Amino acid sequence: MTNTLYPIFYGTRLVTFDVLRNTFEPRMHPEAARRGFNFILHQGGLFGIGSGFRAPGVQPVNRPGFAQPGRSFHEGQDFPSGRFYTAWDMVVVNPGFKHRAPSWSQVPRQGQQLALDYGWHMNIDEESWHAQPTELDGWGSWFLNGRRDLVANYPMRIFSPRPQPPQPPVPPIQPPTNGVIVEFTSRNLSEGAVGSDVKFFQRHLNDIAGQGLLLDGYFGPTTTRAIRNWQGFFGLTVDGGLGPKTQRSIIEVALQAS
Ligand SMILES: [Zn+2]
């Protein structure tokens, strides 16, 4: 794992295994983390994580492909051993472009040997990026089966790491460019605001946090939810507004991702 780098978020940023792990492990079920990170580690830098924990209620309601609020493994769920999240949306490096979702041919699909090797699978139709422990087929069946805990110490087959694919050079972290400074404004933004500065943050929330916002420069409820999601993930005060601290955190991550 020494020099191998892993994709993180939805831009082009690459990080060490430790950074990836430290970013996504808090609040995750320890057994899910054990399996998922072992899977990632032993795939030689092919996979990384686009998003993990998602605060409840931030996803669109009644949209195909999104779980109902409260019924996602991206949210903390009550297992006998505690309240944890257990699912990731994974990404792979897309040289020269933003990281992309893995294809079905790359992932441990439900029932396949690779899934059984790690107790970690992708099983949702049309979501080849969504990964979770093999016991968790869906929120409904988990709930109806009594919210069983994950099998501790799943007997993973630990492989030697794959031969390392050539790694793209690590992009240096650039100081802010004129473009960023011109676009950046420090006025406090909250729901109802309109402007190019709102659009600037919408674009970055899409690029680095996969929020899927319409780039309309209008600070509406969906933008508020995306910001609450961001704030929750990074441990900021969750108020749904774009004050100086939240603006700075988005820009800092965006600069590292660009
Ligand atoms: Zn997902």
Side-chain angles (χ1 to χ4, degrees):
M1 73 166 102
T2 46
N3 295 318
T4 304
L5 294 172
Y6 301 80
I8 187 170
F9 302 133
Y10 296 96
T12 56
R13 190 178 171 196
L14 300 168
V15 295
T16 62
F17 183 77
D18 287 345
V19 169
L20 188 73
R21 181 160 195 156
N22 292 338
T23 302
F24 289 101
E25 190 161 24
R27 287 192 267 197
M28 192 178 198
H29 193 295
E31 175 64 21
R34 176 178 164 267
R35 299 185 202 179
F37 284 114
N38 263 289
F39 171 72
I40 286 178
L41 181 62
H42 291 100
Q43 296 302 309
L46 176 61
F47 292 98
I49 304 171
S51 68
F53 178 76
R54 181 176 64 209
V58 297
Q59 69 273 39
V61 177
N62 293 329
R63 197 199 277 179
F66 285 84
Q68 291 293 306
R71 299 188 178 193
S72 168
F73 291 121
H74 287 292
E75 301 169 14
Q77 298 291 348
D78 290 318
F79 289 86
S81 61
R83 185 168 178 82
F84 301 109
Y85 87 97
T86 48
W88 292 334
D89 290 333
M90 303 184 77
V91 290
V92 295
V93 175
N94 193 20
F97 299 92
K98 289 172 183 170
H99 307 323
R100 64 169 175 79
S103 64
W104 278 114
S105 66
Q106 294 177 294
V107 300
R109 195 166 192 163
Q110 183 170 32
Q112 286 182 339
Q113 188 59 47
L114 190 59
L116 301 175
D117 286 340
Y118 287 95
W120 183 252
H121 70 168
M122 274 78 156
N123 71 322
I124 300 179
D125 286 345
E126 299 173 22
E127 287 191 23
S128 53
W129 56 87
H130 179 94
Q132 58 196 27
T134 46
E135 299 96 310
L136 303 179
D137 257 352
W139 189 91
S141 59
W142 172 74
F143 186 84
L144 291 172
N145 283 325
R147 307 183 190 207
R148 283 189 200 147
D149 221 321
L150 301 178
V151 175
N153 298 313
Y154 183 91
M156 270 182 293
R157 190 176 145 201
I158 302 299
F159 300 92
S160 350
R162 271 188 185 177
Q164 305 298 315
Q167 294 290 323
V170 185
I173 296 175
Q174 300 291 337
T177 64
N178 285 337
V180 170
I181 290 170
V182 168
E183 281 187 274
F184 175 65
T185 163
S186 61
R187 72 171 174 145
N188 284 343
L189 297 166
S190 56
E191 196 163 314
V194 179
S196 60
D197 44 4
V198 175
K199 187 173 174 182
F200 170 78
F201 287 106
Q202 287 174 326
R203 179 159 54 80
H204 284 310
L205 286 164
N206 285 357
D207 289 350
I208 58 184
Q211 293 297 307
L213 296 169
L214 191 64
L215 297 180
D216 57 3
Y218 168 62
F219 197 140
T222 51
T223 301
T224 300
R225 278 200 294 272
I227 290 163
R228 292 179 69 88
N229 187 17
W230 177 275
Q231 291 167 330
F233 190 84
F234 286 97
L236 301 165
T237 303
V238 180
D239 60 7
L242 272 170
K245 281 187 183 166
T246 301
Q247 292 190 9
R248 181 137 308 281
S249 73
I250 293 172
I251 288 167
E252 280 174 5
V253 174
L255 288 172
Q256 293 176 59
S258 61

